Amino acid sequence: MGGVKRSIIKMATFTGSMAPVLVLWLAMSLSGTWAVDKGNFKTCDQSAFCKRQRALKPGDSPYRALLETMELTNTRLTLQLINDNNKVRLLLELYRLQGNMTRVKINELKPLKPRFEVPDVLITEPSTEPLSLLSQDENGVVLSLGTESQRVIISARPFRLDIMEGPEVLMSLNSRGLLAFEHLRMRKDTQAEPEGEKKEEADPANQAEKEEEEKVDGMWEETFKSHSDSKPNGPSAISLDFSLPGVEHVYGIPEHADTLRLKTTDNGDPYRLYNLDVFQYELYNPMALYGAVPVMLAHKAQRTTGIFWLNAAETWVDISSNTAGKTVFGKMLDYVQGSSETPQTDVRWISESGIIDVFIMLGPTPKDVFSQYASLTGTQSFPPLAAVGYHQCRWNYNDQEDVASVDAGFDEHDIPYDYIWLDIEHTDGKRYFTWDSHKFASPKEMLQALEDKKRKMVAIVDPHIKVDSNYKIHNEIRNKGFYIKNKDGGDYEGWCWPGSAGYPDFTRPDMRAWWASMFAYDQYEGTAENLYTWNDMNEPSVFNGPEVTMHKDAVHGAWEHRDVHNLYGLYVQMATAEGQIQRSGGVERPFVLTRAFFAGSQRYGAVWTGDNAAEWDHLKVSIPMCLSLGLVGISFCGADVGGFFKSPSTELLVRWYQTGAYQPFFRAHAHLDTPRREPWLFGPENTALIRDVVRQRYTLLPYWYQQFYHAYRTGEPIMRPLWVEYPQDPATFALDDEFLIGKDLLVHPVTEEGARGVTAYLPGKDQVWFDVHTFQKHNGAQSLYIPVTMSSIPVFQRGGSIIPRKMRVRRSSSCMTHDPYTLYVALNLQRTAEGELYIDDGHTFNYEKKEFIHRRLSFAKNMLSSVNLATDAEFSTGSWIERIVILGASKPSKVTLKTADGQESQLEFDFDASMSVLTLRKPGVNAGLDWNVMLQ
Amino acid sequence: MHFHMIIVAVFWFGFVDSRKIRGISSSYKRFFRERKSFLCIDGSKIIPFEQVNDDYCDCEDGSDEPGTSACPQGRFYCTNLGFRPHYIPSSRVNDGICDCCDASDEYNSHAHCQNACWNLGQRERAYVEGQMRTLDEGLQLKQQLIEEGVLLWREKQAQLRELQQVAEDLQTKLEERRSRKQEADRLKEQTPRPPEAGDGRLFRGQNSTVTGTFKLLDSNKDGSITVDEVQAKVALVHDEERVLSEDEAVIKDTHGAPGVGEDPPLKVADREWEATNLKKVEEAYDTVNMEISDLREKLAIDYGPDWEFLFLNSQCYKLKVYEYTYTLCPFNQVTQQSTAGTEVSLGRWGMWEGPPKNQYGRMVYENGEPCWQGGSRSTTVTLTCGTETALRSVKEPSKCQYIMDFQTPVACQPVLKQRGIHSEL
């Protein structure tokens, strides 16, 4: 869905007087290239606080720790810091958190008014562990971080923090002296309080402050293009640097259309985190996009750590490295000469307001970091099974007849799908929660027709509300005072799809509760259980606002929009998901897709990468974009299959389906101005190619669903970079043209036009990998050239794994509920394998009440067995084991099935000697029971 | 009565068979005669007969599981007594959705399927009967329209020939006028410029443009000029010449110059007169030629083997869909008018674009108003058989690409008649 251009077109059609100007504007923008208009978005230089902060260069920090103010209780340490230049004092709080984390909070000791601290992101107040004092002198303090020889050294002058384990420094804070804290202050030029002035004169701190202000503009007002930011609170930025010794690879801080491995930013702008609706975004640069998760992972072979910078204001992240500039030859020279300094990555975070609240996750493994982060912000919500199927979207399916005919097209061409989507045109004049009375005259009938085929629908509900006194939603929000206010106290109004629109203040719990209640079946007319929701434009997008978003001086109760900006989208999705839960009385799982997001958004649904384009590079970048999101907890990620803007070539479309089928959120989408591209419109051959890959997705749904369950339980990413599973293999550290699903499937999609082959890296020295299509075995720790045709999707199953599939692909995932399983057992060099099988009802919260089946499947010593992993859980299934395919097997003479009641029976089998594939025919045993199969 | 007995009989036999082998048609029964073993229909494998329809796929071609969902490439035969039998993909067997109207596909699912074949059959028979009536009626109407089309075609051809004749006549006249004017111009050099005179009445008040002339000639305002019309007007030119001559005579009388052979004022009037006349004839000639090429162009269009589509040529058909009114003028153009009144071209006549079997089943109109994202609007019109000629639906599945359903008797095809209900009856 949509970028700015859409709006302009629509505006031109219904605002007579503005039309000529807009048409001219549009004509100009059309004549240009497809790239983003960078001039619409700020560079660091154009963002006053970023410019001010970045002007500070590494050096001695003006901050000094006042050790005499130190207070150490069982759970926390507090200590005052003083800026020797202006004498403003800060309060440092340090916590040791359960699970190997350290939290550092820095705020003003006595702020003029409270500074914003981000609520609703942490799932609970994190549990602390005792800190103890190891030693102290006038230069500093050494604290013990629990049992593992971990220490924090607080140096007093200048202030710095070093986190050590044994002799090794894991991370240093303020080691480059870039801690900065713009304290809140009274405005000088307009404040004429005599008492205040006297005070100021008496205080030498203010003297320095004055000088500071004289030097720098943009503290009390800032203008970008035609927009001015009134900044009533003046400067309030914060900044802190982190040094990561031994680290050469850092990841995360989505959302950027960039490589998985983050680049150094010395020669350009920092990575920016500021949720924005960027029209036709450009690839491979650090510009901000729709969502922001201020979490960075740092990785080296021995350890993975993470930094979670809990701040919702506009944030910039600088990355530099002492090895980045070196060529391979330079590094080799260092090595030969033995003079190499330890590689190190330095990171610096700059935010416009709020406080410093940083969680240092100390790993040591990647999975430890995922679990640490999950303990703070929660895990991926467990979606309904159907949402893991295929989604068919377009801006727009025009009317009910159109929906019916697309639905019928899928049956005619025997392609499964689960959800058909309606974009903004389905509403009555972009009034969300309504239907166009001509085109969607009987939505309930439409939904019932879909339900009859066990299919579902998603309709869009955006957070901008048409200002129209005949629109119930608007009237209620206005009457309840729920709109965000402008700086002068009136309801904030901006321009979006419906024209003039208000923006509900989703930071208010009462507003969110009201919003959630609007999804009740009696409120949101024409809806039924199989209708779900899509939240778009929730950055929020404001067409006529600065950088296409809301003015920073807009007001959310006690706070400015500046403070909460990056949280807005999270709240919209939170309230919407809550609405869906409530409408079913808490029984059914919600499904909500969002474009904007923040840390914690994983708890509310799925995310997609916004308005991409039908270009090969956009297909390629979908991989690192979703990998980066997965690393910071948001697993349910996908890109618009086919590309949103422009029209894909048939080859690109097919390749995109092949890639998207192996990414967590699998949805095709297209811009209003593009020709139709339902899967059957490109000739029988391409229809067959697309059908084949969508069916591959559906056969793998049991495995996908199990991955979602695992992500929900652990916070581990579903789609994950190779280094997560092979953390000691440097060859995997920068790979982002291939990925793993869980730990057992490796996918290297074909993302090059006209490709004849791809080179996939198969990791693991003692590992083998089986081509899932041919069952051919390959050794690990090699780069393998794989010739490809248009039907090829290089996918490999790890030797040592067991993957359940359902081979009877039907019209939708719900139609496959009772179908039997085929188990793919891929043996490793030790001739063993392990896997899991997870089964529940697929759509309710009953799994929370332990209504599920979770079994461990293991193969060892020629015996495959299924044992219960959750003995306290209970669920019954009609599904049975249809077939067992053992890859890398040898031919047995006899195969015996033994069931829970002790009965034994012989199984027929088929052995393919050329590929060493043993297929066991119809064990027939119920998938929820204990059983084993013995090969003799 | 007899009819019902057959149904009962067929039902009975069907039941006996399907008890053994579910999901096959009678023509496949020979493959499934109960023996000890079963040979996959593609001959690839022999399996024990117990493994037929045992919910496990043994044959590559799916032939061992016609009645279950076990084989990915399999198909299930719905007998659908009382309606049409047909195959469904095996994946629709026991998926909880009723696909066969006889409910035979959901023999082991939670779906509660009713046998709806008889109702469906009746409905279909009624529908097909209706279609047949429409087709019969449509074909009759089509025959008339073909006859009219042939006549119209001949008429147009005759019109063309006549226009060509007129053009020839006018050319002769034009040459004559040119030489007269040259004569008058020669005389002009000997005389002073006269006052205003000799305003040709024929073209008074009209722009001396081709359009003006066309409008003038097109006395019945039907958008085309017939030979009669041209002759009528051209005759007027002749008449006027005579009338004018009389006026000249009056002038001569008034001003008087008796006994003088060559009177200067008269010569001036004559010269003006010749100029005007020449212009008139030139314009008439141009107009007629334009009309000829126009007519030729129209006649060059493919109106079907019997010129049955010719009658659509000068017609327009409208349909209102929500806030827009669409107008289809076959072989000319398609337009869309909003309630606000702005009219947008959705394409000009392009070509026939039907599939090889039904070449005249689809028309394409191209190069309409340009679109925002490049390209221009276009419309594809599908012609379907009906007793009336009318625009039935308009859609815009993709931006700027319209599709119309246009119903007309001339789209009725006798082949349709061969189709009917293939049921077990």
Side-chain angles (χ1 to χ4, degrees), chain A residues 286-329:
Chain A
M287 285 174 73
L289 283 180
Y290 313 95
V293 184
V295 175
M296 181 184 282
L297 271 61
H299 179 70
K300 56 186 177 184
Q302 310 77 30
R303 181 180 285 269
T304 310
T305 56
I307 299 168
F308 172 27
W309 176 265
L310 181 50
N311 188 297
E314 181 184 343
T315 296
W316 298 79
V317 185
D318 256 322
I319 299 169
S320 56
S321 157
N322 61 353
T323 51
K326 286 194 180 151
T327 59
V328 174
F329 179 75

Coordinates of all heavy atoms in Angstrom, one line a residue, chain A residues 286-329:
Chain A
P286 N 21.4 4.3 4.6 CA 21.0 4.3 6.0 C 19.8 5.1 6.3 O 19.5 5.4 7.5 CB 22.2 4.9 6.7 CG 22.8 5.9 5.7 CD 22.5 5.3 4.4
M287 N 19.0 5.5 5.3 CA 17.8 6.4 5.5 C 16.8 5.6 6.3 O 16.7 4.4 6.3 CB 17.2 6.7 4.2 CG 17.9 7.8 3.4 SD 17.2 8.1 1.8 CE 15.7 8.9 2.2
A288 N 16.0 6.4 7.1 CA 15.0 5.8 7.9 C 13.9 5.2 7.0 O 13.6 5.7 5.9 CB 14.4 6.9 8.8
L289 N 13.2 4.2 7.5 CA 12.0 3.7 6.8 C 10.9 3.6 7.8 O 10.9 4.3 8.8 CB 12.3 2.3 6.2 CG 13.1 2.3 4.9 CD1 13.4 0.9 4.4 CD2 12.4 3.1 3.8
Y290 N 9.9 2.7 7.5 CA 8.6 2.7 8.2 C 8.7 2.4 9.7 O 7.8 2.7 10.5 CB 7.7 1.7 7.6 CG 7.7 1.9 6.1 CD1 8.5 1.1 5.2 CD2 6.8 2.8 5.5 CE1 8.4 1.2 3.9 CE2 6.8 3.0 4.1 CZ 7.6 2.2 3.3 OH 7.5 2.3 2.0
G291 N 9.7 1.6 10.1 CA 9.7 1.1 11.5 C 11.1 1.3 12.1 O 12.1 1.6 11.4
A292 N 11.2 1.1 13.4 CA 12.4 1.3 14.1 C 12.5 0.4 15.3 O 11.6 0.3 16.1 CB 12.5 2.8 14.6
V293 N 13.6 -0.4 15.3 CA 13.9 -1.2 16.5 C 15.3 -0.9 17.0 O 16.3 -1.3 16.3 CB 13.7 -2.7 16.2 CG1 13.9 -3.5 17.5 CG2 12.4 -3.0 15.7
P294 N 15.4 -0.1 18.0 CA 16.8 0.3 18.4 C 17.6 -0.8 19.2 O 17.9 -0.6 20.3 CB 16.5 1.5 19.3 CG 15.1 1.2 19.9 CD 14.4 0.4 18.9
V295 N 17.8 -1.9 18.4 CA 18.5 -3.0 19.0 C 19.6 -3.4 18.0 O 19.4 -3.6 16.8 CB 17.6 -4.2 19.2 CG1 18.4 -5.4 19.7 CG2 16.5 -3.9 20.2
M296 N 20.9 -3.4 18.6 CA 22.0 -3.8 17.7 C 22.6 -5.1 18.3 O 22.8 -5.2 19.5 CB 23.0 -2.7 17.7 CG 24.2 -3.0 16.8 SD 25.4 -1.7 16.8 CE 24.7 -0.5 15.8
L297 N 23.0 -6.0 17.4 CA 23.7 -7.2 17.8 C 25.2 -7.1 17.4 O 25.4 -6.6 16.2 CB 23.1 -8.4 17.2 CG 22.0 -9.1 18.1 CD1 20.8 -8.1 18.3 CD2 21.5 -10.4 17.4
A298 N 26.1 -7.5 18.2 CA 27.5 -7.5 17.8 C 28.0 -8.9 17.9 O 27.7 -9.6 18.9 CB 28.3 -6.6 18.8
H299 N 28.7 -9.3 16.9 CA 29.1 -10.7 16.9 C 30.6 -10.9 16.6 O 31.1 -10.2 15.7 CB 28.2 -11.4 15.9 CG 28.6 -12.9 15.8 ND1 28.3 -13.8 16.8 CD2 29.3 -13.6 14.8 CE1 28.8 -15.0 16.4 NE2 29.3 -14.9 15.2
K300 N 31.2 -11.8 17.3 CA 32.5 -12.3 17.0 C 32.4 -13.8 17.2 O 31.5 -14.3 17.9 CB 33.6 -11.6 17.7 CG 33.4 -11.6 19.2 CD 34.5 -10.8 19.9 CE 34.3 -10.8 21.4 NZ 35.2 -9.9 22.1
A301 N 33.4 -14.5 16.8 CA 33.3 -16.0 16.8 C 33.1 -16.5 18.2 O 32.4 -17.4 18.5 CB 34.6 -16.6 16.3
Q302 N 33.6 -15.8 19.2 CA 33.5 -16.3 20.6 C 32.3 -15.8 21.3 O 31.9 -16.3 22.4 CB 34.8 -15.9 21.5 CG 36.1 -16.2 20.9 CD 36.5 -15.2 19.8 OE1 36.1 -14.0 19.9 NE2 37.2 -15.6 18.8
R303 N 31.7 -14.7 20.9 CA 30.6 -14.1 21.7 C 29.7 -13.2 20.8 O 30.1 -12.6 19.9 CB 31.3 -13.3 22.8 CG 30.2 -12.6 23.7 CD 30.9 -11.8 24.8 NE 31.5 -12.6 25.8 CZ 30.8 -13.0 26.9 NH1 29.6 -12.7 27.1 NH2 31.5 -13.7 27.8
T304 N 28.5 -13.3 21.2 CA 27.5 -12.4 20.6 C 26.9 -11.5 21.8 O 26.6 -12.0 22.9 CB 26.3 -13.1 20.0 OG1 26.9 -14.1 19.1 CG2 25.4 -12.2 19.2
T305 N 26.8 -10.2 21.6 CA 26.2 -9.3 22.6 C 25.2 -8.4 21.9 O 25.1 -8.4 20.6 CB 27.3 -8.4 23.2 OG1 28.0 -7.7 22.2 CG2 28.3 -9.2 24.0
G306 N 24.5 -7.7 22.7 CA 23.5 -6.8 22.1 C 23.3 -5.6 22.9 O 23.6 -5.5 24.1
I307 N 22.9 -4.5 22.2 CA 22.6 -3.2 22.9 C 21.2 -2.9 22.5 O 20.8 -2.8 21.4 CB 23.5 -2.1 22.3 CG1 25.0 -2.5 22.6 CG2 23.2 -0.8 22.9 CD1 26.0 -1.6 21.9
F308 N 20.4 -2.7 23.5 CA 19.0 -2.2 23.3 C 18.8 -0.8 23.9 O 18.9 -0.6 25.1 CB 18.0 -3.2 24.0 CG 16.6 -2.8 24.1 CD1 16.0 -2.0 23.1 CD2 15.7 -3.3 25.0 CE1 14.7 -1.6 23.1 CE2 14.4 -3.0 25.1 CZ 13.9 -2.1 24.1
W309 N 18.7 0.1 23.0 CA 18.6 1.5 23.4 C 17.2 1.9 23.5 O 16.5 2.2 22.4 CB 19.4 2.3 22.3 CG 19.4 3.8 22.3 CD1 18.6 4.6 21.7 CD2 20.4 4.6 23.0 NE1 18.9 5.9 21.9 CE2 20.0 6.0 22.7 CE3 21.5 4.4 23.9 CZ2 20.8 7.0 23.2 CZ3 22.2 5.5 24.3 CH2 21.8 6.8 24.0
L310 N 16.6 1.9 24.6 CA 15.2 2.1 24.8 C 14.8 3.6 24.7 O 14.7 4.3 25.7 CB 14.7 1.4 26.1 CG 13.1 1.5 26.3 CD1 12.3 1.1 25.1 CD2 12.8 0.7 27.6
N311 N 14.6 4.0 23.5 CA 14.2 5.4 23.3 C 13.4 5.5 22.0 O 13.7 4.9 21.0 CB 15.5 6.3 23.1 CG 15.2 7.8 23.1 OD1 14.5 8.3 22.2 ND2 15.8 8.5 24.1
A312 N 12.2 6.2 22.1 CA 11.3 6.3 21.0 C 11.4 7.5 20.2 O 10.6 7.7 19.2 CB 9.9 6.1 21.5
A313 N 12.3 8.4 20.5 CA 12.5 9.6 19.7 C 13.3 9.4 18.5 O 13.9 8.3 18.4 CB 13.1 10.7 20.6
E314 N 13.4 10.4 17.6 CA 14.3 10.2 16.5 C 15.7 9.9 16.9 O 16.2 10.5 17.8 CB 14.3 11.6 15.7 CG 15.2 11.5 14.4 CD 15.3 12.8 13.7 OE1 14.4 13.7 13.9 OE2 16.2 12.9 12.9
T315 N 16.2 8.9 16.3 CA 17.5 8.4 16.8 C 18.5 8.1 15.6 O 18.0 7.7 14.5 CB 17.3 7.0 17.5 OG1 16.5 7.3 18.7 CG2 18.6 6.4 17.9
W316 N 19.7 8.4 15.8 CA 20.7 8.2 14.7 C 21.8 7.3 15.3 O 22.2 7.5 16.5 CB 21.4 9.5 14.3 CG 20.4 10.5 13.6 CD1 19.5 11.3 14.3 CD2 20.2 10.7 12.2 NE1 18.8 12.0 13.4 CE2 19.2 11.7 12.1 CE3 20.8 10.2 11.1 CZ2 18.8 12.2 10.9 CZ3 20.4 10.7 9.8 CH2 19.4 11.7 9.7
V317 N 22.3 6.4 14.5 CA 23.4 5.5 15.0 C 24.6 5.5 14.1 O 24.5 5.2 12.9 CB 22.8 4.0 15.1 CG1 23.8 3.1 15.7 CG2 21.5 4.0 15.9
D318 N 25.7 5.9 14.7 CA 27.0 5.9 14.0 C 27.7 4.7 14.3 O 27.8 4.2 15.4 CB 27.8 7.2 14.5 CG 27.7 8.3 13.4 OD1 27.7 8.0 12.2 OD2 27.7 9.5 13.8
I319 N 28.4 4.2 13.3 CA 29.2 3.0 13.4 C 30.5 3.2 12.8 O 30.6 3.7 11.7 CB 28.5 1.8 12.7 CG1 27.1 1.5 13.3 CG2 29.4 0.5 12.8 CD1 26.3 0.5 12.5
S320 N 31.6 3.0 13.6 CA 32.9 3.0 13.0 C 33.7 1.9 13.4 O 33.4 1.2 14.4 CB 33.6 4.4 13.3 OG 33.7 4.5 14.7
S321 N 34.8 1.6 12.7 CA 35.5 0.4 12.9 C 37.0 0.7 12.6 O 37.3 1.4 11.7 CB 35.0 -0.7 12.0 OG 36.0 -1.7 11.9
N322 N 37.9 0.1 13.4 CA 39.3 0.4 13.1 C 39.8 -0.5 12.0 O 40.9 -0.3 11.6 CB 40.1 0.2 14.4 CG 40.0 -1.2 14.9 OD1 39.2 -2.0 14.5 ND2 40.8 -1.5 15.9
T323 N 39.0 -1.5 11.6 CA 39.5 -2.3 10.5 C 38.7 -2.1 9.2 O 39.1 -2.6 8.2 CB 39.3 -3.8 10.9 OG1 38.0 -4.0 11.3 CG2 40.3 -4.2 11.9
A324 N 37.7 -1.3 9.3 CA 36.8 -1.1 8.2 C 37.5 -0.6 7.0 O 37.3 -1.0 5.8 CB 35.6 -0.2 8.5
G325 N 38.4 0.3 7.2 CA 39.1 1.0 6.1 C 40.2 0.1 5.5 O 40.7 0.4 4.4
K326 N 40.5 -1.0 6.1 CA 41.7 -1.7 5.7 C 41.3 -2.7 4.6 O 40.2 -3.3 4.6 CB 42.3 -2.5 6.8 CG 43.1 -1.6 7.8 CD 43.9 -2.4 8.7 CE 44.7 -1.4 9.6 NZ 45.0 -2.0 10.9
T327 N 42.2 -2.8 3.6 CA 42.0 -3.8 2.6 C 42.4 -5.1 3.1 O 43.0 -5.3 4.1 CB 42.8 -3.4 1.4 OG1 44.2 -3.5 1.8 CG2 42.5 -2.1 0.8
V328 N 42.0 -6.1 2.3 CA 42.4 -7.5 2.7 C 43.9 -7.5 2.8 O 44.5 -8.1 3.8 CB 41.9 -8.5 1.7 CG1 42.5 -9.9 2.0 CG2 40.4 -8.5 1.6
F329 N 44.6 -6.8 1.9 CA 46.1 -6.8 1.9 C 46.6 -6.2 3.2 O 47.5 -6.7 3.9 CB 46.6 -6.1 0.7 CG 48.1 -6.0 0.7 CD1 48.9 -7.2 0.4 CD2 48.7 -4.8 1.1 CE1 50.2 -7.1 0.4 CE2 50.1 -4.8 1.1 CZ 50.9 -5.9 0.7

